[in-house]
Structure formats: C-alpha cells, structure tokens
C-alpha cells in the first residue's frame, strides 16, 4: 500500500489529470473539507424543501426522461431514487479496468462536492469509503451512449451503495452483501434526487479521457526518442529540426517536437560524420517528424484543455442553484469530450502510421552501412522483415478504428434524448488504438536500436547512447533469426513501463542536461 504524500480537497481545489491519477494510485489522499460539507448540506436542504412544498421539479418529484411529466408523491420520492439505479443498470460486456472505475468514483465525488446536486453528506462519505478502502464496483464496459451522461455505467458504479452489484475487494470479486458482512456496512437509503445525481454525469467518458491523455503522452514522448534514434541509425539530417524552419510555421506541437529531437541529437558523432554527404533530403517519415508528431501533440493539448474544464465541472441534472432556481439543462451531454477523444484517436493512429513507415525504411537497406532487413547474413535469415508485417497489421487495424464515434447518434428515451454523443465508445476506442500504438513503437524501438548498432564505433549524443544501453539490457543485438515475439514483448514492457524515459530523466539530472523546450510547460504537464 502506497502512503499518500499530500491531500486534495474535493469540491474546492482544482483537479488535474495527474492529481486524479495520484488519488487513484494512493499517492494523494482526497478529503471532504468542512466548506464542501457545508455546501452539500445546504444543497440537500433545498431539495428537501422542494419536496415539502410539492412543486414539480424534474427528477426530484417527477419521473425520468420521457416520464418527466409524471408526478411522484412525497412518499414515493425515495423509492424513485433506488429504482433508477436498478432500472438503469443495464450494462453489458467485460468490466472496465479497476483503475478506471476508481477514477469514476473520484471524479464523481469531486463534482458532487461542489454543492449543486442535492446529494446527502452520508452518501458522499460512503463513496469516499469505497475509494479509501479499495472496494471498487464492477462496471460493464458497454451500454452508455454518452448523452444523459453515462447512465448505465454510473448505475452499476453506485449499486453497492444500496446493497446491490459486485465489487473488487481485497483482490476478490464479491457481492455487495458479502462486502457488508465483512465490513459491517449497511445499505444507504437514498433521498430525493440522489439516484439521479449519482447517475447523471460524464464520469465514464472522463475517466477514459484521463487514461487516454496519460497513455498518449507516453507514446508521444517515446515517438520522439525512437524517431531520433532512427534518424541516427539511417543517417538522417538534423536540418529539418532547426528553429529557423519552424519559426516560419509556428505550431506549438511542431516546435516542441523539433526542439526535443534536436536536443536528443546534440553532441552526436554520427551526425557530424555525414554532415557533408551527398543526400539532399530524407523521406518524409524522418524529415516530417516535427510536423506529424507535432500535429498529434496539438491534438493531445486540445484534449488536455477540455478535460481540465470537465474535471472541475458539475455535469449532473438538474442543477440546484438555490430554492428559487433549479435548472434542467444538458451539462451531462458528452459531446465536448467525445469529439476531442475522436481527434486524439486519430492522433494516436497517425503516430503508429509514420512509425511503421520508418520501420519499413530501416529494412530497405538504402542507408550506407545498414544492411537490408537489418541483418548481414540474409537469405538463410529473414532478419527483421516480418516485424514490419506486425506493425502494418496494427497500423491498419488502427485506421479501421478511426471512424469518429461522435459522428453517430441514435435517439434514445422515446425521443426525449434525440441526440447522443457516443463519447463512451470514443474513449474505449481511443484506448484500444493506443494499446496497438504501444506495440508499434516497441517494434520501432527494436529496429532503431538494431540500425543504431551499425553506426559503431561512432557514438550518438549521451542521451541516445543511454537509451541504446537500456534496450540492450533486455534485447540483444540480432546476428541471426530468433523468436522475435520475445523481443517484441520486452520492447512493449520498455514502452509501457517508461523505462527509457526514466533513464533519460536520470541522466539529465546527473549530467545537468535538459530536454526543456519553449512549450514544455504546456506539453509535459497534465
């Protein structure tokens, strides 16, 4: 168990992706402050007064969706809130990863703690208990259209509050009834509006968006490093990374990538060795790294900015402003994130697309000193030929997954919800594409390292030399054919575990080096 290093105040402080992930991973403790509790109690009192007066307010004393004109008696308002969790728990498919479900709890409590939802303080304390004790509900992956928020997944997320559903607790999946026996907890009795407040919102989409941001950032960082290694291995030019070029087309992402790659190549003997060679220009997969990686960086930045807004928003419905003003609006609609997630999905796919092209380029044998298929004794050996088949398959699969989920809408709720975002599908799909991208980058890392070897005894700059050493700890230079699937598995681990990024950071700190660029503050923090 990780000990938290500091605390975060739900409903009060600004939540970021890294803070949310820190709470989910136990390095930060989330708390409800007295100020938040006061706001929550005040909002709950407003709801109770509305019920007492009998004035019709959607979701408090009316039915839901197309049943919004059906009045519910004061006595039945509590039954209504329990029933909504039951009736809307219609999710199917494999459960989402435990960390995603835990993120959903964290994101939901932060939104509810702002005091516009009419939730009971006791309900927030129970959600807090689930987070702190790692009793994480099982949430099916399919069933949300991302319109009234993520109704089905959020319903499953909060079934344990009323004694239903399943949780992962102490590394076992158990029913909530068993959880209550183990812990002495009892089911909550939800008050007016509470069920609706729990299941209206974008927390399923948002949890996926946080993981997309984290995984895409990791892939972007690796793509720059591996691309720089490939430039060294294939004797590419450093000129396409000059500031003089990018100042004439100053997209932030392009400049950031160009400056990073140039810093990675700094002090390279390999670069110096062919500075006056006869080659006029490189293929696009090398020469246009700043433009292509940079475009994906810009997409990442766009998603980060939107996610930060959503992280600190109230997305349920209706919103309780005060006793005189409750607003039934559409803050739960997932469109803002859905479109950005589709954009990020495309950005990830394109990183894989250009990576595959560099792998192919490395196999052609057109760079002096680097043999065809990255192996000298070919014929009896196929060398790295078939690794590119795998990246071609993965890149093609990603292209097929790039159809934007947000371009589709199927009316639901008998026409009441006549436009939906499909943001939940966009989030799930983007993570699938990123999983494939990690594999493509791992294979490029292996091919770049193999090509890099043929530049000996010349050395690259200190950072890329350290990357090469780190890879060689896990994957040996290939003189003849072997089961390359084992190498690929090691490469995937290196990418996912951020091993080479951590090595670069360690060397930078030790040698007083830096990969800081003009836009590092924007692109390296989330």
């Amino acid at each position: 168990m990780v000990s938290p290093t500091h605390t975060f105040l739900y409903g009060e402080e600004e939540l970021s992706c890294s803070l949310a992930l820190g709470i989910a991973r136990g390095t930060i403790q989330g708390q409800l402050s007295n100020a938040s509790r006061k706001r929550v109690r005040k909002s709950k009192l407003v709801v109770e007064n509305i019920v007492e007066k009998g004035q019709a307010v959607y979701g408090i004393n009316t039915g839901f969706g197309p049943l919004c004109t059906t009045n519910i008696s004061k006595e039945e308002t509590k039954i209504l809130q329990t029933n909504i969790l039951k009736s809307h728990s219609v999710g199917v498919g494999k459960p989402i990863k435990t960390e995603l479900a835990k993120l959903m709890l964290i994101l939901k409590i932060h939104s509810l703690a702002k005091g516009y939802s009419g939730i009971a303080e006791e309900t927030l304390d129970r959600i807090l208990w689930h987070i702190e004790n790692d009793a994480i509900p099982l949430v099916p992956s399919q069933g949300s259209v991302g319109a009234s928020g993520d109704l089905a997944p959020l319903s499953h997320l909060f079934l344990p509050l009323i004694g239903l559903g399943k949780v992962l607790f102490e590394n076992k999946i158990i029913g909530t009834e068993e959880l209550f026996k183990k812990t002495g907890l009892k089911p909550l009795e939800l008050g007016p509006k509470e069920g609706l407040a729990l299941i209206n919102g974008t927390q399923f989409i948002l949890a996926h968006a946080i993981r997309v941001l984290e995984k895409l950032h990791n892939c972007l960082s690796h793509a720059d490093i591996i691309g720089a290694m490939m430039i060294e291995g294939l004797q590419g030019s450093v000129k396409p990374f000059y500031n003089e070029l990018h100042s004439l087309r100053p997209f932030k992402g392009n400049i950031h990538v160009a400056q990073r790659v140039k810093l990675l190549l700094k002090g390279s003997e390999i670069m110096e060795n062919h500075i006056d060679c006869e080659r006029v220009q490189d293929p696009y997969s090398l020469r246009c790294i700043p433009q292509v990686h940079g475009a994906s960086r810009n997409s990442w930045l766009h998603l980060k900015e939107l996610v930060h807004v959503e992280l600190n928003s109230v997305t349920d419905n209706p919103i309780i402003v005060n006793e005189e003003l409750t607003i039934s609006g559409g803050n739960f609609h997932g469109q803002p994130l859905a479109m950005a997630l589709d954009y990020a999905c495309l950005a990830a796919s394109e990183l894989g697309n250009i990576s595959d092209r560099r792998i192919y380029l490395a196999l052609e044998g057109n760079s002096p000193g680097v043999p065809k298929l990255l192996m000298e004794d070919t014929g009896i050996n196929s060398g790295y030929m078939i690794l590119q088949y795998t990246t071609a398959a993965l890149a093609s699969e990603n292209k097929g997954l790039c159809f934007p989920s947000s371009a589709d809408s199927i009316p639901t709720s008998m026409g009441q919800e006549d436009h939906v975002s499909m943001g939940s599908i966009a989030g799930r799909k983007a993570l699938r594409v990123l999983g494939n991208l990690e594999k493509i980058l791992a294979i490029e890392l292996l091919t770049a390292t193999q090509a890099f070897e043929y530049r000996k005894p010349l050395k690259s700059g200190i950072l890329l030399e350290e990357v090469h050493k780190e890879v060689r700890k896990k994957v040996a230079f290939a003189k003849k054919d072997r089961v390359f699937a084992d190498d690929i598995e090691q490469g995937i681990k290196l990418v996912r575990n951020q091993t080479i990024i951590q090595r670069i950071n360690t060397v930078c700190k030790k040698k007083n080096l830096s990969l800081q660029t003009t836009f590092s503050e924007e692109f390296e923090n989330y």
Side-chain angles (χ1 to χ4, degrees), residues 409-428:
S409 177
I410 299 175
T412 56
S413 196
M414 297 169 66
Q416 181 77 3
E417 297 164 12
D418 55 355
H419 181 278
V420 301
S421 75
M422 303 299 181
S424 57
I425 301 169
R428 287 171 42 231

PDB file of all heavy atoms in Angstrom, residues 409-428:
ATOM      1  N   SER A 409     -25.240   9.203 -33.957  1.00  0.00           N
ATOM      2  CA  SER A 409     -26.217   9.466 -32.902  1.00  0.00           C
ATOM      3  C   SER A 409     -27.450   8.630 -33.181  1.00  0.00           C
ATOM      4  O   SER A 409     -27.947   8.602 -34.300  1.00  0.00           O
ATOM      5  CB  SER A 409     -26.593  10.955 -32.871  1.00  0.00           C
ATOM      6  OG  SER A 409     -27.592  11.176 -31.900  1.00  0.00           O
ATOM      7  N   ILE A 410     -27.902   7.908 -32.169  1.00  0.00           N
ATOM      8  CA  ILE A 410     -29.138   7.129 -32.259  1.00  0.00           C
ATOM      9  C   ILE A 410     -30.074   7.615 -31.154  1.00  0.00           C
ATOM     10  O   ILE A 410     -29.696   7.571 -29.978  1.00  0.00           O
ATOM     11  CB  ILE A 410     -28.872   5.619 -32.105  1.00  0.00           C
ATOM     12  CG1 ILE A 410     -27.952   5.116 -33.229  1.00  0.00           C
ATOM     13  CG2 ILE A 410     -30.180   4.835 -32.101  1.00  0.00           C
ATOM     14  CD1 ILE A 410     -27.548   3.663 -33.096  1.00  0.00           C
ATOM     15  N   PRO A 411     -31.258   8.133 -31.485  1.00  0.00           N
ATOM     16  CA  PRO A 411     -32.171   8.646 -30.452  1.00  0.00           C
ATOM     17  C   PRO A 411     -32.522   7.580 -29.418  1.00  0.00           C
ATOM     18  O   PRO A 411     -32.694   6.405 -29.744  1.00  0.00           O
ATOM     19  CB  PRO A 411     -33.410   9.068 -31.248  1.00  0.00           C
ATOM     20  CG  PRO A 411     -32.907   9.291 -32.635  1.00  0.00           C
ATOM     21  CD  PRO A 411     -31.805   8.301 -32.841  1.00  0.00           C
ATOM     22  N   THR A 412     -32.623   7.984 -28.167  1.00  0.00           N
ATOM     23  CA  THR A 412     -32.999   7.086 -27.077  1.00  0.00           C
ATOM     24  C   THR A 412     -34.087   7.740 -26.228  1.00  0.00           C
ATOM     25  O   THR A 412     -34.498   8.873 -26.492  1.00  0.00           O
ATOM     26  CB  THR A 412     -31.777   6.776 -26.181  1.00  0.00           C
ATOM     27  OG1 THR A 412     -31.226   8.008 -25.704  1.00  0.00           O
ATOM     28  CG2 THR A 412     -30.702   6.013 -26.944  1.00  0.00           C
ATOM     29  N   SER A 413     -34.548   7.025 -25.220  1.00  0.00           N
ATOM     30  CA  SER A 413     -35.519   7.546 -24.259  1.00  0.00           C
ATOM     31  C   SER A 413     -36.783   8.063 -24.946  1.00  0.00           C
ATOM     32  O   SER A 413     -37.298   9.132 -24.626  1.00  0.00           O
ATOM     33  CB  SER A 413     -34.878   8.658 -23.413  1.00  0.00           C
ATOM     34  OG  SER A 413     -35.627   8.926 -22.260  1.00  0.00           O
ATOM     35  N   MET A 414     -37.277   7.273 -25.898  1.00  0.00           N
ATOM     36  CA  MET A 414     -38.520   7.602 -26.612  1.00  0.00           C
ATOM     37  C   MET A 414     -38.469   8.998 -27.233  1.00  0.00           C
ATOM     38  O   MET A 414     -39.460   9.741 -27.255  1.00  0.00           O
ATOM     39  CB  MET A 414     -39.724   7.461 -25.671  1.00  0.00           C
ATOM     40  CG  MET A 414     -39.939   6.030 -25.170  1.00  0.00           C
ATOM     41  SD  MET A 414     -41.149   5.896 -23.838  1.00  0.00           S
ATOM     42  CE  MET A 414     -42.651   6.364 -24.688  1.00  0.00           C
ATOM     43  N   GLY A 415     -37.285   9.371 -27.710  1.00  0.00           N
ATOM     44  CA  GLY A 415     -37.129  10.649 -28.409  1.00  0.00           C
ATOM     45  C   GLY A 415     -36.783  11.816 -27.516  1.00  0.00           C
ATOM     46  O   GLY A 415     -36.425  12.884 -28.017  1.00  0.00           O
ATOM     47  N   GLN A 416     -36.878  11.637 -26.199  1.00  0.00           N
ATOM     48  CA  GLN A 416     -36.507  12.721 -25.285  1.00  0.00           C
ATOM     49  C   GLN A 416     -35.019  13.038 -25.422  1.00  0.00           C
ATOM     50  O   GLN A 416     -34.609  14.193 -25.425  1.00  0.00           O
ATOM     51  CB  GLN A 416     -36.839  12.319 -23.832  1.00  0.00           C
ATOM     52  CG  GLN A 416     -36.524  13.378 -22.794  1.00  0.00           C
ATOM     53  CD  GLN A 416     -37.549  14.496 -22.746  1.00  0.00           C
ATOM     54  OE1 GLN A 416     -38.546  14.459 -23.457  1.00  0.00           O
ATOM     55  NE2 GLN A 416     -37.303  15.491 -21.920  1.00  0.00           N
ATOM     56  N   GLU A 417     -34.234  11.985 -25.534  1.00  0.00           N
ATOM     57  CA  GLU A 417     -32.788  12.140 -25.755  1.00  0.00           C
ATOM     58  C   GLU A 417     -32.528  11.865 -27.234  1.00  0.00           C
ATOM     59  O   GLU A 417     -32.095  10.786 -27.628  1.00  0.00           O
ATOM     60  CB  GLU A 417     -32.029  11.182 -24.833  1.00  0.00           C
ATOM     61  CG  GLU A 417     -32.266  11.507 -23.362  1.00  0.00           C
ATOM     62  CD  GLU A 417     -31.875  10.392 -22.412  1.00  0.00           C
ATOM     63  OE1 GLU A 417     -31.210   9.439 -22.858  1.00  0.00           O
ATOM     64  OE2 GLU A 417     -32.237  10.473 -21.235  1.00  0.00           O
ATOM     65  N   ASP A 418     -32.835  12.866 -28.060  1.00  0.00           N
ATOM     66  CA  ASP A 418     -32.839  12.651 -29.509  1.00  0.00           C
ATOM     67  C   ASP A 418     -31.489  12.926 -30.175  1.00  0.00           C
ATOM     68  O   ASP A 418     -31.349  12.770 -31.378  1.00  0.00           O
ATOM     69  CB  ASP A 418     -33.950  13.479 -30.179  1.00  0.00           C
ATOM     70  CG  ASP A 418     -33.852  14.959 -29.851  1.00  0.00           C
ATOM     71  OD1 ASP A 418     -32.986  15.344 -29.043  1.00  0.00           O
ATOM     72  OD2 ASP A 418     -34.661  15.733 -30.404  1.00  0.00           O
ATOM     73  N   HIS A 419     -30.503  13.357 -29.406  1.00  0.00           N
ATOM     74  CA  HIS A 419     -29.136  13.466 -29.919  1.00  0.00           C
ATOM     75  C   HIS A 419     -28.176  13.035 -28.829  1.00  0.00           C
ATOM     76  O   HIS A 419     -28.180  13.601 -27.733  1.00  0.00           O
ATOM     77  CB  HIS A 419     -28.799  14.894 -30.358  1.00  0.00           C
ATOM     78  CG  HIS A 419     -27.401  14.999 -30.911  1.00  0.00           C
ATOM     79  ND1 HIS A 419     -26.291  15.130 -30.101  1.00  0.00           N
ATOM     80  CD2 HIS A 419     -26.941  14.944 -32.185  1.00  0.00           C
ATOM     81  CE1 HIS A 419     -25.203  15.167 -30.856  1.00  0.00           C
ATOM     82  NE2 HIS A 419     -25.567  15.051 -32.121  1.00  0.00           N
ATOM     83  N   VAL A 420     -27.372  12.026 -29.108  1.00  0.00           N
ATOM     84  CA  VAL A 420     -26.435  11.495 -28.104  1.00  0.00           C
ATOM     85  C   VAL A 420     -25.010  11.567 -28.653  1.00  0.00           C
ATOM     86  O   VAL A 420     -24.791  11.666 -29.859  1.00  0.00           O
ATOM     87  CB  VAL A 420     -26.806  10.052 -27.703  1.00  0.00           C
ATOM     88  CG1 VAL A 420     -28.210  10.009 -27.135  1.00  0.00           C
ATOM     89  CG2 VAL A 420     -26.669   9.094 -28.881  1.00  0.00           C
ATOM     90  N   SER A 421     -24.013  11.510 -27.752  1.00  0.00           N
ATOM     91  CA  SER A 421     -22.625  11.793 -28.156  1.00  0.00           C
ATOM     92  C   SER A 421     -21.800  10.569 -28.518  1.00  0.00           C
ATOM     93  O   SER A 421     -20.821  10.676 -29.249  1.00  0.00           O
ATOM     94  CB  SER A 421     -21.909  12.517 -27.009  1.00  0.00           C
ATOM     95  OG  SER A 421     -21.582  11.621 -25.957  1.00  0.00           O
ATOM     96  N   MET A 422     -22.137   9.412 -27.996  1.00  0.00           N
ATOM     97  CA  MET A 422     -21.345   8.187 -28.133  1.00  0.00           C
ATOM     98  C   MET A 422     -19.909   8.385 -27.604  1.00  0.00           C
ATOM     99  O   MET A 422     -18.974   7.711 -28.030  1.00  0.00           O
ATOM    100  CB  MET A 422     -21.310   7.696 -29.592  1.00  0.00           C
ATOM    101  CG  MET A 422     -22.669   7.442 -30.210  1.00  0.00           C
ATOM    102  SD  MET A 422     -23.605   6.155 -29.319  1.00  0.00           S
ATOM    103  CE  MET A 422     -25.105   6.080 -30.310  1.00  0.00           C
ATOM    104  N   GLY A 423     -19.756   9.311 -26.655  1.00  0.00           N
ATOM    105  CA  GLY A 423     -18.428   9.603 -26.109  1.00  0.00           C
ATOM    106  C   GLY A 423     -17.803   8.430 -25.382  1.00  0.00           C
ATOM    107  O   GLY A 423     -16.573   8.295 -25.344  1.00  0.00           O
ATOM    108  N   SER A 424     -18.629   7.580 -24.786  1.00  0.00           N
ATOM    109  CA  SER A 424     -18.093   6.402 -24.092  1.00  0.00           C
ATOM    110  C   SER A 424     -17.390   5.474 -25.074  1.00  0.00           C
ATOM    111  O   SER A 424     -16.344   4.892 -24.765  1.00  0.00           O
ATOM    112  CB  SER A 424     -19.233   5.650 -23.394  1.00  0.00           C
ATOM    113  OG  SER A 424     -20.222   5.279 -24.338  1.00  0.00           O
ATOM    114  N   ILE A 425     -17.956   5.341 -26.265  1.00  0.00           N
ATOM    115  CA  ILE A 425     -17.353   4.490 -27.300  1.00  0.00           C
ATOM    116  C   ILE A 425     -16.061   5.141 -27.797  1.00  0.00           C
ATOM    117  O   ILE A 425     -15.053   4.467 -28.020  1.00  0.00           O
ATOM    118  CB  ILE A 425     -18.346   4.262 -28.457  1.00  0.00           C
ATOM    119  CG1 ILE A 425     -19.619   3.603 -27.930  1.00  0.00           C
ATOM    120  CG2 ILE A 425     -17.719   3.404 -29.550  1.00  0.00           C
ATOM    121  CD1 ILE A 425     -20.767   3.567 -28.913  1.00  0.00           C
ATOM    122  N   ALA A 426     -16.079   6.459 -27.935  1.00  0.00           N
ATOM    123  CA  ALA A 426     -14.873   7.183 -28.361  1.00  0.00           C
ATOM    124  C   ALA A 426     -13.728   6.951 -27.385  1.00  0.00           C
ATOM    125  O   ALA A 426     -12.579   6.719 -27.803  1.00  0.00           O
ATOM    126  CB  ALA A 426     -15.174   8.676 -28.475  1.00  0.00           C
ATOM    127  N   GLY A 427     -14.012   6.989 -26.097  1.00  0.00           N
ATOM    128  CA  GLY A 427     -12.982   6.781 -25.079  1.00  0.00           C
ATOM    129  C   GLY A 427     -12.432   5.375 -25.094  1.00  0.00           C
ATOM    130  O   GLY A 427     -11.208   5.159 -25.054  1.00  0.00           O
ATOM    131  N   ARG A 428     -13.321   4.392 -25.166  1.00  0.00           N
ATOM    132  CA  ARG A 428     -12.891   2.987 -25.193  1.00  0.00           C
ATOM    133  C   ARG A 428     -12.062   2.704 -26.434  1.00  0.00           C
ATOM    134  O   ARG A 428     -11.036   2.018 -26.379  1.00  0.00           O
ATOM    135  CB  ARG A 428     -14.113   2.062 -25.153  1.00  0.00           C
ATOM    136  CG  ARG A 428     -14.799   2.009 -23.781  1.00  0.00           C
ATOM    137  CD  ARG A 428     -16.128   1.259 -23.837  1.00  0.00           C
ATOM    138  NE  ARG A 428     -16.036   0.069 -24.649  1.00  0.00           N
ATOM    139  CZ  ARG A 428     -16.888  -0.234 -25.633  1.00  0.00           C
ATOM    140  NH1 ARG A 428     -17.904   0.566 -25.908  1.00  0.00           N
ATOM    141  NH2 ARG A 428     -16.746  -1.336 -26.325  1.00  0.00           N
TER     142      ARG A 428
END
